[in-house]
Amino acid sequence: MKGIILAGGSGSRLYPLTLVTSKQLLPVYDKPMIYYPLTLLMDAGIREILIISTPADIGRFRDLFKDGSHLGIKLSYLVQEKPEGLAQAFILGEDFIDGEGCAMVLGDNIFTGEGLPEILKTAAGRDKGATIFAYKVKDPERFGVVEFNDDMKAVSIEEKPKEPRSSYAVTGLYFYDENVCKMAKTLTPSKRGELEITDLNLLYLNKGQLNVELLNDEHTWMDAGTQESLINATNFIYEEEIKLGRKIGCPEEAALRNKWITGEDVLKLCMNYNNEYGEYLRKTAGEDMA
């Protein structure tokens, strides 16, 4: 399975912070925002990843990550000239996907929680259908909302409903089988002129091929796309890392955990990191080498 990080858009909700840089390069505590979705895909065991961004920003991501080989992964980059819906990513990325299954995560979404890597790997291991993740929220009318029957089986998905049929919002993480590009091409633009990810999910639901994983109280999902949510995400990551005694959204550690790189490789990566992040990587590398 391959992976896509959708890191486009103007970031207008974060102006003036994003007037000269991509939203996904802003810091969430001690790391660029994009570190979190990248680590998430790596935790799912995905090693071939495409970053889609704007003409102005794509070079900045390439400068940050190069080809990804230092993390034991292979990174590709693609320009999205004009954002025309989340499902557009599967049309733009068809050559990259090349007939395989593909996961996509939004570049401003942060996920963490106990047992999450195992849940991700289960989703990545499904040969057929799609898997989306639902999270209980206080304001479901702001999101795509999943409705369930008495057996907690999904029966409908509605985008930003005025009267939500449940409190479960669809998060910005999606896993699809090898048919995703073909199905994305059948979509028609919505009233706002976009290829909606909800419509793609509905195609899978109507075929009886949509799995919905419910994230529970041990998991956290955040969208860091506004000033308020950005500072909340930073405070959460800071406090959670102190409580857990480990980093969240650390791609070097994910690569080491997957045995894609060695402790010696990690030491080389953090050689010039004269800060707490570098100290953490050096300690993690040392434990691996012991």
Side-chain angles (χ1 to χ4, degrees):
M1 175 168 278
K2 295 183 179 179
I4 292 175
I5 301 175
L6 191 54
S10 64
S12 58
R13 291 185 299 167
L14 283 164
Y15 282 177
L17 292 173
T18 50
L19 287 174
V20 294
T21 192
S22 167
K23 167 177 62 177
Q24 291 83 9
L25 291 173
L26 293 176
V28 176
Y29 182 39
D30 57 353
K31 313 166 207 74
M33 188 186 298
I34 197 172
Y35 270 42
Y36 298 90
L38 176 64
T39 303
L40 192 76
L41 293 180
M42 294 171 68
D43 279 339
I46 297 172
R47 300 184 72 172
E48 291 186 58
I49 298 169
L50 174 68
I51 296 175
I52 299 178
S53 191
T54 67
D57 294 321
I58 197 70
R60 299 185 179 107
F61 292 106
R62 187 179 286 110
D63 289 343
L64 177 62
F65 292 124
K66 306 298 190 293
D67 64 359
S69 59
H70 60 290
L71 296 171
I73 61 178
K74 182 179 180 181
L75 289 175
S76 302
Y77 302 88
L78 185 66
V79 168
Q80 183 183 37
E81 296 288 348
K82 182 181 178 182
E84 295 179 336
L86 303 186
Q88 184 192 30
F90 300 105
I91 298 174
L92 296 175
E94 183 175 16
D95 288 344
F96 165 78
I97 296 170
D98 194 26
E100 296 188 31
C102 187
M104 183 175 75
V105 59
L106 305 187
D108 61 358
N109 274 219
I110 297 171
F111 296 81
T112 187
E114 188 69 27
L116 192 56
E118 289 73 24
I119 296 172
L120 297 173
K121 287 176 180 174
T122 297
R126 291 191 176 110
D127 293 330
K128 291 295 180 182
T131 301
I132 61 174
F133 295 79
Y135 189 79
K136 201 167 189 177
V137 297
K138 296 179 180 178
D139 49 355
E141 65 277 359
R142 294 180 52 234
F143 306 94
V145 174
V146 187
E147 178 190 8
F148 300 94
N149 62 18
D150 292 340
D151 297 322
M152 290 305 290
K153 181 177 176 62
V155 294
S156 75
I157 307 174
E158 190 175 2
E159 185 67 24
K160 297 181 180 177
K162 292 182 180 179
E163 298 182 3
R165 296 177 182 178
S166 85
S167 298
Y168 283 97
V170 178
T171 71
L173 175 63
Y174 319 88
F175 288 75
Y176 298 103
D177 64 15
E178 72 277 6
N179 296 311
V180 63
C181 296
K182 179 174 64 177
M183 294 175 71
K185 287 180 179 180
T186 70
L187 300 177
T188 56
S190 64
K191 292 181 179 179
R192 59 178 184 170
E194 296 189 356
L195 299 178
E196 304 287 355
I197 200 73
T198 293
D199 291 340
L200 180 61
N201 292 332
L202 282 171
L203 290 179
Y204 279 97
L205 177 63
N206 293 335
K207 293 175 65 176
Q209 296 182 353
L210 184 70
N211 302 287
V212 181
E213 294 282 354
L214 298 180
L215 299 178
N216 58 38
D217 292 341
E218 294 183 347
H219 303 120
T220 299
W221 166 57
M222 294 173 287
D223 170 351
T226 67
Q227 280 95 347
E228 182 180 6
S229 61
L230 182 62
I231 192 68
N232 287 340
T234 289
N235 290 336
F236 172 82
I237 294 297
Y238 171 71
E239 293 169 3
E240 195 72 359
E241 289 187 352
I242 290 176
K243 181 175 73 174
L244 296 173
R246 62 174 177 82
K247 289 292 179 189
I248 298 169
C250 180
E252 298 92 346
E253 185 176 23
L256 184 63
R257 188 165 52 240
N258 284 325
K259 302 188 183 303
W260 297 342
I261 60 175
T262 66
E264 289 87 349
D265 294 326
V266 174
L267 289 177
K268 292 176 183 177
L269 292 176
C270 65
M271 187 179 302
N272 297 317
Y273 283 26
N274 187 25
N275 54 21
E276 189 269 340
Y277 191 80
E279 286 300 317
Y280 178 80
L281 291 181
R282 283 185 279 274
K283 177 183 176 183
T284 302
E287 291 174 351
D288 180 76
M289 296 164 60

